[in-house]
Structures are given as C-alpha cells and as structure tokens.
Amino acid sequence: MITVTVLFFATLRERSGVLQASLQLPAGSDVAAFKQALFAAYPQLAPHAKAILVAINKEFAFDADPVPDGAEIALFPPVSGGSGAPPTQLTITEDALDLNAMLASITLPSTGAACFFSGMVRAETTRGEPHSAQHLVTQHLVYEAYAPMAEAKLAQVAAEIRERWPAVEGIAIAQRIGTLQPGTPTVLIACTAAHRDSGVFEAARYGIDRLKEIVPIWKKEVGPHGEEWVEGEYLPTESD
C-alpha cells in the first residue's frame, strides 16, 4: 500500500468538508484508481467528477499517470472560474504585483467600473497608545504564508464577496510573500462591475478586511529596533 496526502480547494473543499486528508492506495495505482478511492471516501464529490482537476506534486495529472508513494495530490475545479463563469484570480506569489495584468484578467465586455485596494510596506510605523506610541523605522518586511490553506481561504473570501454583492463581475486578490522593501505593494484586491454603484467599493474593502481575518499570512518587521512578528487579534470561529 502507498499513502498520499490530498488537498481540497474551493468548491471541492466545501463539498468534502475538509481541507486535507490522507488516503491509502494499492501500490502501482494510477490517477483513475485514486479517483475511485477518493469517491468511495467522499461520495459527495462523485457527481462532480468531470469537473475535478488533479495535480500530483504541483503538476497536472491524468487518469493513466502513476501515483507515487507519499505524493501530495491537489484537487480543484477549473481555475479562473471556467467558461461562462465570473472571472476570479487568486494568487500567492513572490513576484511583483502587476495591477494592469490583474485588471485585464477580470475585465468583461460589460465592465464599466473597477475598484482597487493596494497595501504596501510602510517605511515608518506607529504602534501603541498616542501618549506612549512607538515610532519604528522599517527596513523591510518578511511575508510568510501557509500557501495551500491561504489559497483556499482566498477562494472563500471571493465567494463571500459574490454572496454579498451579486453585481460584482470580476474578483482578483493577489498577496505577495517574501522580503519586501518600503514602498512595495504587498497585496492587491480588485473588484469589477458594470457600474460604480454596484458594490465594488464595499466589496474591495470587505476583501482586505476579511483577508486580514482568515487567510494565514504573517509578516515580520525588520528595522534598527530588531525583528518582530506582527500578530493579529482576530480568532476565527467555526463559521470561518
């Protein structure tokens, strides 16, 4: 027997009710055999079999491909919403964020409005109560993410936006990780719609607020004062 780790994303995570699982398969199994075991363990996924994409160790895999022992198998629906669905772009990356490319990815022929939020690295940070506030110089920030879960939670944020603002057409969220210098954009959130009064302003604001609550991303401030991980105060609940 071999053991594989299975990661569930987006709608497949919601339907299965789990983010990650372990499955045992007969030695020599291929992707088709893996799917049989998967549907036996999670029969609620079987009706969606044709829309499930499989990646083994971060590479797309197909029915005849072998499954190695210890493999990480990711399951997800067609990316970017698929044909006929509202465009959604969700990214955790070490690369520079490109606002123009992001906008192009979520612009439809009907799009007439776009709202962006961009967070960036501050060169100076004030922390604490006004009478005793610390003024800290930041040399750089180090962003770290638990990427598989972060991607799943970004999908959740996008789904929540669509539920609250149905008129929003496109949603893009990009979070940069790694070592970032002052003035560097760290996160971009964009929402597009046919009109400006469709909720795009509120949706973008909600997106960054929700990202700060439930997406597992952390930052470390580095400066002359030393190094310090900045932790939030929000504790997720079962509904998150």
Side-chain angles (χ1 to χ4, degrees), residues 54-71:
V54 177
I56 296 179
N57 296 332
K58 303 179 179 62
E59 296 289 344
F60 284 115
F62 304 93
D63 283 357
D65 291 337
V67 177
D69 188 22

Side-chain angles (χ1 to χ4, degrees), residues 11-163:
T11 53
L12 302 182
R13 172 180 53 80
E14 294 176 355
R15 288 167 180 152
S16 67
V18 297
L19 179 67
Q20 179 174 319
S22 179
L23 281 182
Q24 286 194 322
L25 307 171
S29 290
D30 56 15
V31 171
F34 160 76
K35 288 180 179 178
Q36 290 181 352
L38 175 74
F39 297 146
Y42 302 95
Q44 64 271 39
L45 297 183
H48 310 281
K50 292 183 178 179
I52 295 177
L53 302 182
V54 177
I56 296 179
N57 296 332
K58 303 179 179 62
E59 296 289 344
F60 284 115
F62 304 93
D63 283 357
D65 291 337
V67 177
D69 188 22
E72 179 183 270
I73 303 180
L75 304 176
F76 43 87
V79 296
S80 302
S83 177
T88 304
Q89 292 289 335
L90 308 172
T91 307
I92 305 291
T93 181
E94 294 185 4
D95 298 330
L97 303 182
D98 187 333
L99 185 150
N100 290 329
M102 174 182 282
L103 179 59
S105 73
I106 58 171
T107 296
L108 300 176
S110 56
T111 299
C115 183
F116 277 85
F117 171 83
S118 176
M120 61 185 62
V121 180
R122 290 187 296 270
E124 297 180 0
T125 299
T126 300
R127 186 174 296 127
E129 298 298 325
H131 64 278
S132 60
Q134 290 180 290
H135 300 281
L136 306 175
V137 174
T138 300
Q139 294 173 330
H140 63 266
L141 296 182
V142 178
Y143 275 83
E144 178 180 305
Y146 176 31
M149 183 175 177
E151 291 167 352
K153 286 300 181 181
L154 288 183
Q156 178 181 328
V157 172
E160 291 177 3
I161 288 174
R162 294 200 184 283
E163 181 178 359

Side-chain angles (χ1 to χ4, degrees), residues 159-239:
E160 291 177 3
I161 288 174
R162 294 200 184 283
E163 181 178 359
R164 287 164 174 76
W165 293 278
V168 168
E169 294 179 340
I171 300 172
I173 308 175
Q175 172 70 52
R176 193 171 178 189
I177 57 176
T179 300
L180 305 178
Q181 305 300 319
T184 302
T186 61
V187 61
L188 287 175
I189 296 180
C191 295
T192 60
H195 306 283
R196 68 179 184 276
D197 59 356
S198 55
V200 287
F201 292 96
E202 296 85 356
R205 173 61 185 265
Y206 179 88
I208 185 60
D209 289 345
R210 197 70 170 122
L211 182 150
K212 294 291 186 180
E213 289 178 342
I214 66 170
V215 180
I217 298 168
W218 308 270
K219 66 179 179 181
K220 179 168 65 175
E221 293 180 348
V222 180
H225 60 283
E227 301 181 355
E228 180 181 2
W229 285 102
V230 179
E231 297 183 357
E233 298 179 356
Y234 183 84
L235 297 178
T237 64
E238 292 184 2
S239 63

